[in-house]
Amino acid sequence: MKTKIKHTQSLLVVLSILANLIFPGCQKVINIDLNEAAPHIVIEGLITDKPGPYTVSISKSGSYFNQPVLPPVSDAVVIITDNVGTIDTLREKKPGVYLTSRTRGIPGRTYILKVLAENQEYTGSSTMHFHVRIDSLNLVRNQSDRIYFGGNADDNTNVEVHCYFIDPVEKNFYRIKVIKNDSTRVAEYRLYDDQYTNGQEIELRVARAIVGDTDIIELYSLDRQTFDYYRTLEDLLYSNPVFGSTPANPNTNLSNGALGYFGASAISSETIKITKSIFNKVK
């Protein structure tokens, strides 16, 4: 039983860390004795097809007690290579944050991360899927037979922002990011895979429409490993690891017990300004 409690304590610390890294708008307060939490290297890195530089953040969870800040891991050797021969040794911009200088995010390329820190080596890789273009954004009154995330399907007075795109025929995984009024502090994230809609035109509810808001919708094309990481992390964040079975760590594509992820993603982005005029025209 003591081993199970220690494992749970360690995981709760890590989940709190990863929630802040991946879902900055998510707050989940867990009151528990954290003195016994085992240390973990936490690596977070994402390459996109937008202009760099890109960052890799390295920190360490540990035996915390009311410790609000993650200890950064400095003086690591961080190298990103790709399948066309590019070698990029990242420089440390500030403690625990490493910047690229030569890496270019290009769909179809595979990127390999190697981190040497505290006499340990960690590796991970990700292939950037091809860009999937957002065709349009539109305001739609709530319909229960549409594909959507969250909300009350029976409330037909709701007006929502819907995102439309054509899903390529091959297997695809997506992460949708909604930025309201240019503030990443209120960014919302959704996950979607094309298990039942492969090759079709997709219509997704992505946000509730509020007059005066400007919504930026970003569609991330993910590989399976990065999608599985986000999915298992989300599952754990919304479960109760204290009263359930002993929780497992989120899936990761990093080696040697590191937590976090290293991903590559092409991003499609569109913006909608929700004025009173277009809001009132929704039927």
Side-chain angles (χ1 to χ4, degrees):
M1 177 62 72
K2 186 175 182 180
T3 300
K4 177 178 177 179
I5 292 173
K6 286 186 177 182
H7 180 78
T8 301
Q9 292 170 337
S10 175
L11 181 59
L12 289 173
V13 176
V14 172
L15 289 178
S16 298
I17 293 164
L18 295 177
N20 288 327
L21 290 174
I22 309 303
F23 305 107
C26 173
Q27 296 182 353
K28 185 170 185 177
V29 178
I30 302 173
N31 296 315
I32 193 168
D33 182 3
L34 301 179
N35 285 326
E36 298 299 327
H40 293 268
I41 286 286
V42 181
I43 299 172
E44 182 197 28
L46 179 66
I47 297 170
T48 74
D49 60 343
K50 293 187 175 182
Y54 313 107
T55 62
V56 173
S57 300
I58 308 175
S59 53
K60 196 168 185 180
S61 66
S63 299
Y64 290 122
F65 187 77
N66 290 329
Q67 184 168 340
V69 179
L70 274 174
V73 175
S74 289
D75 301 320
V77 177
V78 182
I79 301 171
I80 294 176
T81 59
D82 63 27
N83 59 334
V84 297
T86 306
I87 301 174
D88 192 355
T89 301
L90 280 63
R91 64 179 180 87
E92 189 170 12
K93 180 183 179 182
K94 61 181 181 180
V97 178
Y98 300 81
L99 260 61
T100 63
S101 59
R102 301 186 62 197
T103 301
R104 295 176 59 204
I106 298 177
R109 288 193 183 180
T110 296
Y111 298 88
I112 301 95
L113 172 71
K114 181 167 77 171
V115 173
L116 302 174
E118 300 181 345
N119 299 316
Q120 297 291 322
E121 179 176 319
Y122 307 92
T123 60
S125 67
S126 182
T127 298
M128 184 179 292
H129 281 206
F130 286 91
H131 186 272
V132 177
R133 185 177 65 88
I134 295 175
D135 287 336
S136 63
L137 302 175
N138 198 14
L139 299 188
V140 177
R141 198 166 297 281
N142 185 291
Q143 299 288 334
S144 60
D145 60 345
R146 297 181 187 273
I147 301 172
Y148 67 98
F149 296 98
N152 180 1
D154 297 323
D155 185 356
N156 292 322
T157 64
N158 287 340
V159 176
E160 307 154 347
V161 179
H162 284 222
C163 175
Y164 302 82
F165 60 93
I166 302 295
D167 177 66
V169 175
E170 68 270 10
K171 183 63 180 174
N172 293 283
F173 304 91
Y174 303 101
R175 187 183 190 218
I176 299 99
K177 179 179 179 181
V178 180
I179 304 171
K180 286 188 169 291
N181 304 318
D182 296 323
S183 175
T184 57
R185 290 179 300 174
V186 292
E188 299 174 1
Y189 298 89
R190 305 286 188 267
L191 296 173
Y192 181 75
D193 75 76
D194 64 356
Q195 180 177 358
Y196 303 109
T197 55
N198 189 24
Q200 300 179 24
E201 181 180 7
I202 308 298
E203 176 185 356
L204 295 177
R205 169 188 167 177
V206 293
R208 178 170 294 181
I210 300 175
V211 173
D213 279 2
T214 298
D215 291 353
I216 302 172
I217 312 301
E218 294 183 340
L219 182 66
Y220 290 67
S221 300
L222 306 177
D223 63 9
R224 180 183 289 273
Q225 288 182 312
T226 307
F227 178 85
D228 284 345
Y229 168 76
Y230 287 130
R231 178 182 55 80
T232 54
L233 174 61
E234 191 175 75
D235 289 345
L236 287 167
L237 287 171
Y238 291 101
S239 66
N240 191 329
V242 176
F243 299 105
S245 58
T246 303
N249 290 331
N251 292 351
T252 180
N253 61 349
L254 299 170
S255 69
N256 199 18
L259 298 172
Y261 76 103
F262 173 67
S265 175
I267 302 174
S268 175
S269 179
E270 290 290 339
T271 300
I272 183 169
K273 185 175 179 61
I274 305 170
T275 64
K276 188 173 182 179
S277 173
I278 66 171
F279 188 92
N280 290 336
K281 291 179 180 177
V282 179
K283 297 180 180 180

